[in-house]
Amino acid sequence: MEKTRIDTRFAACKAENRAALVGFITAGDPDLDTSLEIFKALPKAGVDVIELGMPFSDPMAEGVPIQLATQRALAGGHTMAKTFDMVRAFRKEDNETPIILMGYYNPIYIRDPKVFVKDAREAGVDGLIVVDVPPEHDDELCLPARDAGVNFIRLATPTTDEKRLPKVLANTSGFVYYVSVTGITGTGALDADKVAIAVKRIKEHTELPVAVGFGVKTPEQAEAVGRNADGVVVGSVLVNAIRDSLDGEGKATEKTVAAVTDIVKGLAEGCKRAKA
Amino acid sequence: MTDPTSLPNSVSQGPDDRGFFGIYGGRFVSETLMPLILDLDAAYRQAKEDPAFHAELADLHKNYVGRQSPLYFAERLTEHLGGAKIYLKREELNHTGSHKINNCLGQILLAKRMGKTRIIAETGAGQHGVATATVCARFGFPCEVYMGATDVERQAPNVFRMNLLGGVVHPVTAGAGTLKDAMNEALRDWVTNVEDTYYIIGTAAGPHPYPMMVRDFQSIIGQEVKEQIMAAEGRLPDMLCACLGGGSNAIGLFHPFLEDKDVQIVGVEAAGYGLDTDKHCASLNAGKPGVLHGNRTYLLQDPDGQILEGHSISAGLDYPGIGPEHSYLRDTGRVEYVSATDTEALEAFQLLCLTEGIIPALESSHAIAEVIKRAPTMDKDQIIVVNLSGRGDKDVNTVSKFLGKGSLAE
């Protein structure tokens, strides 16, 4: 398939000798306007690739931080149409930073996967991560996405063994997302040595960049993971920062945007040090 | 409705290798779980071919559960309704008080074969949780059960039962704190503890092979009914009737009869306050196809694909989805899916108490409610078999609360 912004950005980070920082926020958290403001502020703070979470009522792979972020967004009336609006608004100002939509299959299925990928591409989306569509069901979403010019980024996990890895990688594009722990987002103790072995193993099977996520919280962890991986994914630590910045009624405050960007700056430094 | 005689022969042959019944089913799970699901599929296929597995299960059915469960002619209920002869399949007489034990025994034997050392389960009404805690005690496994906080409250006796049996109950506060949320939390546990943990799903839903496997373990209900009704009446029944939450007792009764085209099959969903309100659990009657908890099936959802909370007076039916095979049987027209409201279920509950001296579960009362509508319209020589899937001891608090309010008087 044609080169996307994701391919270009990972190549650029490699050329600049740093690990790419992939940052996740939930669309519409804590409200549409603040969420858009955070979204737009991420590249300047140091995020190389943005993962925008599509809120779903039943986020089975998420730990409490992203579950709560999802609930905040849905309570505020967030919809898929508003997620697309956010992407379009972002693209008016930034035509370089890759945007990945991340979420679950049902809100896509109900719109018709072929229509969804076309709309996503037109809005300016570069990739998709959909947790509950494994390679066994590539015909459902992965192949339509590829045909529409949208990367389908697949997760590889500690349970993805040698035999299964080629199947997982077969129709993957953009990059490979290695899930560092068996478990849900925002939990678990990350073991940088084990991750290094896993990344090496995946790289024996693919030319694609490998980014590592689940459990990265600090600049030090980003640095440790980034030594071997091409990218570092952070999510729960950012949505927790949003939560902690809210007032007593759960509304955004003047601190909310900076709470996220401050953390991002530290993590971006970690990603730079990783390859130094 | 589709003419049952024109149906393809394959109506009972599903699922295919990818776990699909028509377009329903599949394996929509995260990558971490995918290798486990494939292992489980292989282990189940192996067990299915192993006579020793079936022998052990049969022995437990007979000596531990008390099978076969009677097929009982409900003489006074029949007289009262004045139409078709009504037979009750007495699954409520099973050890633990419902059909749930049939599935749990099959799955615990499988967990043992697979070398797993820890069991988790989700539960709504608590019947599946009790059955799971029971088999865990019997086979010496640690057992953790996820149960919505709302259900923990309204099904307190079952929570205590699980504790007595050594089960640890985790109340789930996410969402509305009911079965769907409990299932999310069980899946989160499973994905975190993949190496040693076996997840006993309680209904004929979830990623393949669960819908097929649970159906197979529950099909003993229908197989026994076939033998028993032949012995009692010398012919097959005219109609089968069962309630549906996820649909495991219903598919267990229905499946052995799917190719018997003269047997009319009726499944009863929970209509809660009524299908014209948003307080019900009738996914086949009022939902749309979608993907949740590992399978494609009819779901209660909003236009943006967000899953809605169901409502039913019966905690065991309070689930916004349905087993995928039922979705397929709905679309093909082989099974007719109707619904009964909370009020209708409560009336049926009381009627069975007074006419037969049997306190049914509120879940099963939905099936009785449909029989109350149908039997009087049928001939006296016609036969209905209704699955009395569970006993109602656990529901007496709920029922007394409603009767105390006089909500039945209207």
Side-chain angles (χ1 to χ4, degrees):
Chain A
M1 61 185 286
E2 263 178 65
K3 248 177 140 184
T4 65
R5 293 183 190 91
I6 297 172
D7 303 317
T8 308
R9 180 57 57 95
F10 269 96
C13 289
K14 193 174 180 186
E16 288 168 25
N17 211 26
R18 61 191 168 89
L21 179 62
V22 183
F24 171 95
I25 56 167
T26 299
D29 170 34
D31 60 74
L32 187 58
D33 291 344
T34 312
S35 184
L36 182 59
E37 210 182 320
I38 297 169
F39 186 26
K40 288 177 174 175
L42 290 175
K44 206 172 153 225
V47 168
D48 296 298
V49 178
I50 302 177
E51 268 184 39
L52 192 60
M54 301 174 278
F56 178 50
S57 53
D58 294 75
M60 285 153 282
E62 314 301 344
V64 172
I66 296 177
Q67 285 179 45
L68 292 176
T70 298
Q71 283 174 18
R72 289 192 293 269
L74 290 176
H78 198 80
T79 60
M80 190 68 86
K82 289 179 183 172
T83 300
F84 284 148
D85 288 344
M86 285 178 67
V87 175
R88 278 188 284 266
F90 181 95
R91 278 281 171 254
K92 279 186 188 152
E93 297 171 18
D94 183 332
N95 202 29
E96 308 293 323
T97 305
I99 299 172
I100 296 164
L101 294 184
M102 178 166 188
Y104 296 80
Y105 189 31
N106 197 54
I108 295 170
Y109 180 73
I110 199 162
R111 298 172 80 94
D112 185 331
K114 287 199 174 73
V115 173
F116 175 86
V117 292
K118 191 171 154 281
D119 290 351
R121 165 79 188 211
E122 279 169 13
V125 170
D126 305 286
L128 288 181
I129 299 176
V130 182
V131 180
D132 52 353
V133 189
E136 278 72 7
H137 296 310
D138 266 357
D139 54 329
E140 298 258 346
L141 182 60
C142 174
L143 299 181
R146 197 186 61 183
D147 294 347
V150 175
N151 290 139
F152 197 87
I153 295 131
R154 217 174 260 302
L155 309 184
T157 71
T159 61
T160 313
D161 62 17
E162 215 58 24
K163 201 174 121 224
R164 186 169 166 77
L165 199 50
K167 192 177 178 76
V168 168
L169 296 173
N171 294 315
T172 301
S173 57
F175 64 95
V176 180
Y177 185 145
Y178 180 68
V179 174
S180 67
V181 293
T182 56
I184 50 179
T185 53
T187 54
L190 186 137
D191 183 334
D193 294 338
K194 275 194 188 161
V195 167
I197 295 166
V199 169
K200 193 163 163 264
R201 184 169 67 94
I202 294 169
K203 282 184 163 292
E204 283 167 10
H205 289 266
T206 180
E207 300 288 312
L208 290 171
V210 179
V212 176
F214 279 46
V216 179
K217 297 181 183 76
T218 65
E220 291 70 31
Q221 285 172 324
E223 183 183 343
V225 167
R227 271 191 213 114
N228 299 289
D230 304 293
V232 177
V233 189
V234 292
S236 295
V237 67
L238 304 185
V239 302
N240 274 345
I242 293 175
R243 183 193 62 196
D244 294 344
S245 75
L246 303 178
D247 67 16
E249 288 167 354
K251 303 271 185 246
T253 62
E254 55 195 17
K255 292 183 206 144
T256 300
V257 177
V260 178
T261 52
D262 285 353
I263 292 175
V264 166
K265 282 173 192 160
L267 292 162
E269 286 303 316
C271 284
K272 274 182 201 153
R273 286 199 300 272
K275 306 283 189 197
Chain B
M1 208 185 89
T2 315
D3 174 10
T5 54
S6 70
L7 289 172
N9 292 329
S10 62
V11 72
S12 70
Q13 299 303 308
D16 67 15
D17 289 345
R18 297 165 75 214
F20 282 114
F21 303 88
I23 66 161
Y24 302 104
R27 295 174 172 126
F28 295 94
V29 296
S30 65
E31 174 58 23
T32 307
L33 291 179
M34 204 54 217
L36 271 92
I37 297 279
L38 295 172
D39 280 354
L40 176 61
D41 192 24
Y44 177 58
R45 281 173 198 282
Q46 248 176 24
K48 220 171 155 179
E49 300 302 316
D50 183 356
F53 180 81
H54 292 285
E56 189 173 7
L57 191 55
D59 180 71
L60 288 161
H61 274 158
K62 180 165 184 275
N63 298 307
Y64 190 63
V65 178
R67 299 205 75 92
Q68 47 174 240
S69 67
L71 182 68
Y72 163 75
F73 174 50
E75 195 178 348
R76 290 198 66 229
L77 180 65
T78 299
E79 233 169 72
H80 177 84
L81 295 174
K85 291 177 83 169
I86 300 157
Y87 280 86
L88 305 177
K89 179 58 173 169
R90 302 286 307 273
E91 288 295 302
E92 104 282 10
L93 292 177
N94 293 339
H95 180 42
T96 75
S98 81
H99 69 290
K100 293 290 187 189
I101 191 81
N102 303 333
N103 168 44
C104 288
L105 277 173
Q107 290 205 48
I108 198 92
L109 292 183
L110 198 56
K112 201 174 72 166
R113 281 172 79 100
M114 293 178 75
K116 301 291 180 184
T117 55
R118 175 176 174 267
I119 303 292
I120 58 168
E122 86 295 338
T123 196
Q127 295 301 88
H128 173 59
V130 167
T132 302
T134 298
V135 298
C136 286
R138 168 66 183 75
F139 287 90
F141 284 91
C143 169
E144 296 184 43
V145 179
Y146 291 90
M147 186 168 186
T150 310
D151 290 337
V152 166
E153 205 172 304
R154 61 179 171 173
Q155 303 288 335
N158 272 342
V159 175
F160 187 58
R161 276 187 197 107
M162 285 183 261
N163 290 335
L164 284 174
L165 294 159
V168 177
V169 179
H170 299 290
V172 177
T173 50
T178 58
L179 183 52
K180 146 179 113 76
D181 310 296
M183 199 150 177
N184 289 335
E185 211 54 35
L187 284 164
R188 290 183 187 119
D189 179 311
W190 200 24
V191 83
T192 309
N193 301 291
V194 279
E195 294 300 330
D196 62 350
T197 299
Y198 185 99
Y199 179 14
I200 302 189
I201 294 183
T203 194
H208 178 66
Y210 281 101
M212 169 182 79
M213 181 167 72
V214 176
R215 172 200 74 198
D216 292 349
F217 290 140
Q218 292 294 1
S219 288
I220 191 162
I221 301 172
Q223 287 154 7
E224 285 180 4
V225 165
K226 243 182 178 175
E227 280 173 31
Q228 292 168 314
I229 199 73
M230 288 307 288
E233 296 278 352
R235 67 179 186 91
L236 295 181
D238 297 282
M239 186 186 287
L240 300 174
C241 187
C243 66
L244 302 110
S248 72
N249 92 81
I251 201 71
L253 175 64
F254 298 168
H255 195 261
F257 290 91
L258 289 178
E259 303 297 344
D260 299 307
K261 310 283 194 232
D262 293 333
V263 178
Q264 191 184 355
I265 305 181
V266 182
V268 188
E269 296 193 292
Y273 294 170
L275 294 189
D276 51 346
T277 72
D278 60 358
K279 300 271 183 208
H280 62 76
C281 281
S283 34
L284 289 170
N285 279 286
K288 271 182 290 188
V291 175
L292 179 71
H293 294 152
N295 55 183
R296 175 158 41 227
T297 193
Y298 277 86
L299 300 170
L300 298 181
Q301 52 183 321
D302 74 9
D304 213 38
Q306 306 296 341
I307 308 302
L308 301 173
E309 296 291 344
H311 161 81
S312 169
I313 187 171
S314 143
L317 303 183
D318 206 344
Y319 181 65
I322 185 79
E325 194 165 7
H326 288 293
S327 293
Y328 171 70
L329 293 170
R330 172 203 185 275
D331 284 6
T332 60
R334 176 63 187 96
V335 177
E336 183 186 353
Y337 293 95
V338 299
S339 65
T341 63
D342 288 353
T343 309
E344 289 168 336
L346 277 165
E347 283 167 358
F349 177 97
Q350 294 173 91
L351 184 65
L352 199 69
C353 289
L354 293 175
T355 55
E356 296 293 344
I358 295 171
I359 302 178
L362 277 172
E363 290 79 11
S364 322
S365 300
H366 287 72
I368 306 288
E370 184 62 20
V371 170
I372 293 173
K373 294 176 200 169
R374 302 250 180 174
T377 69
M378 294 166 69
D379 292 339
K380 290 194 173 185
D381 59 354
Q382 290 191 294
I383 301 165
I384 302 177
V385 173
V386 52
N387 201 6
L388 195 57
S389 53
R391 68 175 182 227
D393 312 44
K394 67 181 177 62
D395 294 315
V396 293
N397 284 340
T398 306
V399 174
S400 90
K401 212 170 82 185
F402 273 84
L403 297 185
K405 278 185 184 167
S407 57
L408 283 173
E410 58 196 27

